[in-house]
Amino acid sequence: MCTNKKTGIIGLGAYLPEKVLTNKDLEKMVDTTDEWITTRTGIKERRIARQDEVTSDMATEAANRALKDAGLTAADIDLIIVATITPDMFFPATACLVQEKIGARTVPAFDVSVACSGFIYGLAIANQFISSGTYKHALVIAAEKLSAITDWTDRNTCVLFGDGAAAAVLGPVEKGGILSVYLGANGKEGDLIKLPAGGSRIPATRKSIESNLHFIKMNGAELFKHAVKIMADAALEATRPLGLQADDISLVIPHQANVRILNAVAKRMGLTKDKIYLNIEKYGNMSAASSAVALVEAVKEGRIKKGQKILLDAFGGGLTWGAIVIEW
Ligand code: UT7
């Protein structure tokens, strides 16, 4: 077994459902306006999965595209991680369902449930297995069907979320790859965003349904403050051990919760806004899938060049956070 290999992203793919729900559409559903949503969040539209299209379907499509991009097949994969808070069901893990759907071998497959930081946690875990030489190729997939846990009568939350998936194939690389990883969590603030019912604390009952407890509940204003500070701090924690200054980072690929959060993070980091990749306008907040889809699109648009250092930076429910520096 070889040890201390460098781990890189060698293939990427995304899948977004076809249906577009615009702010104008939402104006007909709840008491809101395109102007409020645009100025407060930066979101113009989001994608919504079909009723019969579940998280593992989107994850599978993204995984197949990432495999193709890597020039590999499912048989080459040694580990499957799915980051999601909207699994098809509690168990089996969505990663196991994806294993079957893509036709992978009986390799380890599990889900990571850390909300919006899930893609970064997944990359961090896969990095450990690959750099230690335990496995050669891993699939890290972030997939969410947030529309399934969104209260479509609550204007405070329903304008924010969307569905989508993206996947990365990780493998050993000669140069560059993942340079540093920083993860964190703070369970004390877990009440700020949560799905109260459906677990062992409040199992599904007629009462839990009538009380609307199977939908995302969120204290947006409090989360906003935490997000700005934590994302800026996490960026610093991931870059400092490498001796990097903000200027050494060519592009930040952040979790996309709110354009105002990201402008404030840029300011704290001393970065110009153009160094923060944004696609929230098209997709809203897709939890774990947000930073993953952003990475796929940034690469596709040629925003990331070989040899450049990029920073993935996310924050979400838990609370959880994570930042990763990658040399492309
Ligand atoms: O994914 C990681 C976790 N999530 C986040 O990090 C989200 C962080 N939070 C946010 O992005 C923002 O706090 C929100 C976008 C959720 C809300 O923006 P805000 O500027 O903090 O607004 P607010 O919650 O303070 O609400 C301001 C007003 C309220 O009215 P009153 O009480 O001042 O009369 C709300 O009722 O805006 C009202 N409001 C709306 N009005 C029109 C809330 N939602 C809407 C809406 N349309 N959709």
Side-chain angles (χ1 to χ4, degrees), residues 62-74:
N64 283 331
R65 291 175 187 185
L67 282 169
K68 191 168 174 217
D69 187 47
L72 299 176
T73 70

Side-chain angles (χ1 to χ4, degrees), residues 30-33 36-37 40-41 116 155-157 159-161 193 218-225 227 255-258 260-261 285 287 315-317:
V30 286
D31 180 15
T32 191
T33 59
W36 191 97
I37 303 170
R40 297 291 182 116
T41 71
C116 313
R155 71 173 184 176
N156 290 293
T157 52
V159 302
L160 304 174
F161 303 116
I193 181 163
M218 181 177 100
N219 179 340
E222 270 308 303
L223 271 178
F224 191 107
K225 287 184 243 164
H255 169 54
Q256 317 267 322
N258 188 319
R260 291 187 294 130
I261 292 177
N285 181 348
S287 186
F315 159 86

Side-chain angles (χ1 to χ4, degrees), residues 4-315:
N4 293 327
K5 289 173 183 298
K6 292 192 178 82
T7 304
I9 292 179
I10 59 172
L12 284 168
Y15 172 79
L16 281 314
E18 242 170 73
K19 185 182 168 189
V20 175
L21 185 71
T22 65
N23 291 351
K24 286 278 170 207
D25 295 329
L26 280 162
E27 283 181 357
K28 295 178 207 130
M29 295 162 63
V30 286
D31 180 15
T32 191
T33 59
D34 173 38
E35 201 265 334
W36 191 97
I37 303 170
T38 307
T39 53
R40 297 291 182 116
T41 71
I43 303 166
K44 291 298 273 184
E45 57 189 45
R46 67 289 291 141
R47 299 298 179 92
I48 304 294
R50 296 187 313 270
Q51 211 158 19
D52 66 346
E53 187 174 42
V54 297
T55 298
S56 67
D57 297 325
M58 295 189 281
T60 297
E61 195 55 49
N64 283 331
R65 291 175 187 185
L67 282 169
K68 191 168 174 217
D69 187 47
L72 299 176
T73 70
D76 297 309
I77 294 300
D78 306 304
L79 170 70
I80 301 169
I81 299 172
V82 173
T84 187
I85 50 163
T86 48
D88 286 20
M89 55 193 106
F90 266 150
F91 68 91
T94 299
C96 296
L97 306 176
V98 171
Q99 181 204 64
E100 196 268 327
K101 287 186 181 185
I102 63 173
R105 290 175 288 116
T106 54
V107 299
F110 58 89
D111 291 357
V112 172
S113 176
V114 287
C116 313
S117 315
F119 184 56
I120 288 181
Y121 267 64
L123 294 178
I125 297 165
N127 176 42
Q128 291 295 323
F129 280 113
I130 294 168
S131 56
S132 66
T134 309
Y135 299 128
K136 190 168 181 195
H137 294 126
L139 250 178
V140 176
I141 310 162
E144 300 284 13
K145 186 174 176 178
L146 292 181
S147 61
I149 56 167
T150 297
D151 179 352
W152 291 101
T153 64
D154 174 16
R155 71 173 184 176
N156 290 293
T157 52
C158 77
V159 302
L160 304 174
F161 303 116
D163 302 333
V169 179
L170 277 72
V173 289
E174 289 301 320
K175 253 187 98 241
I178 293 177
L179 302 183
S180 80
V181 173
Y182 174 74
L183 303 176
N186 176 11
K188 217 158 80 179
E189 305 290 356
D191 276 343
L192 292 180
I193 181 163
K194 64 181 178 184
L195 182 66
S200 60
R201 187 177 296 187
I202 309 175
T205 57
R206 188 185 298 261
K207 188 166 170 244
S208 73
I209 293 166
E210 283 166 2
S211 310
N212 250 352
L213 296 179
H214 294 271
F215 298 122
I216 301 173
K217 306 289 174 197
M218 181 177 100
N219 179 340
E222 270 308 303
L223 271 178
F224 191 107
K225 287 184 243 164
H226 285 283
V228 172
K229 180 171 183 329
I230 289 174
M231 288 179 81
D233 288 352
L236 199 65
E237 294 291 343
T239 48
R240 195 165 37 198
L242 302 169
L244 298 176
Q245 306 296 318
D247 263 3
D248 299 316
I249 299 296
S250 300
L251 193 63
V252 178
I253 311 282
H255 169 54
Q256 317 267 322
N258 188 319
V259 76
R260 291 187 294 130
I261 292 177
L262 299 181
N263 288 342
V265 170
K267 199 167 163 201
R268 268 186 182 239
M269 289 177 67
L271 286 176
T272 49
K273 285 184 199 169
D274 60 306
K275 281 222 176 170
I276 309 264
Y277 184 80
L278 280 179
N279 64 0
I280 188 172
E281 186 181 326
K282 293 187 287 179
Y283 305 125
N285 181 348
M286 298 181 287
S287 186
S290 269
S291 55
V293 170
L295 176 63
V296 176
E297 296 205 331
V299 170
K300 210 159 103 187
E301 290 163 17
R303 295 279 303 273
I304 304 173
K305 311 251 175 330
K306 214 169 163 45
Q308 285 184 335
K309 292 184 185 69
I310 62 160
L311 175 80
L312 292 174
D313 193 359
F315 159 86

